[in-house]
């Protein structure tokens, strides 16, 4: 079910400690990974300073694109919990200057309330 879920675009939660080595060259002093999600090979990583969206490209996966969104650029967001008949959660993030949000579906079981709290604590300062 994990592969099928990934192919359908649903994200799964990753332990931040698993990413520390992979992201050590990208993080700056004092920046720490707080939560992360994986969609097939791509990742959304929430640090205490920004959102990093890693797009792994090509057949070998050696080409990587890191898209950084500072929390101050997020104007608002939506987090939808899973329902009885709709088992997936969803997150939408609007950025200043962009009419369309960044959207991701998250697999049921992900703590979207904690994710919402993490985002809110960074952008509602």
């Amino acid at each position: 079910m994990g592969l099928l879920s990934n192919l359908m675009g649903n994200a799964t939660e990753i332990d931040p400690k698993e990413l520390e080595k992979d992201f050590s060259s990208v993080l700056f002093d004092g920046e720490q990974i707080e939560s992360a999600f994986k969609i097939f090979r791509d990742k959304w990583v929430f640090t205490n300073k920004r959102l990093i969206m890693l797009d792994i490209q090509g057949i070998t996966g050696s080409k990587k694109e890191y898209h950084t969104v500072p929390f101050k650029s997020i104007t608002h967001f939506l987090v939808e919990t899973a329902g009885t008949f709709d088992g997936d959660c969803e997150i939408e993030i609007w950025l200043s200057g962009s009419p369309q949000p960044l959207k991701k579906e998250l697999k049921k079981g992900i703590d979207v309330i904690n994710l919402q709290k993490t985002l809110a604590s960074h952008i509602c300062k």
Side-chain angles (χ1 to χ4, degrees), residues 69-75 94-96:
V69 177
F71 288 126
K72 66 181 179 182
S73 298
I74 298 173
T75 59
W94 283 264
L95 305 176
S96 58

Side-chain angles (χ1 to χ4, degrees), residues 14 19 23 27 32-37 43-47 50-54 71:
I14 307 169
L19 298 175
F23 280 79
L27 301 176
Q32 299 172 344
I33 297 173
E34 294 186 343
S35 60
F37 302 90
K43 294 176 180 74
W44 275 32
V45 178
F46 293 88
T47 74
R50 60 186 165 153
L51 166 60
I52 304 168
M53 293 172 286
L54 173 59
F71 288 126

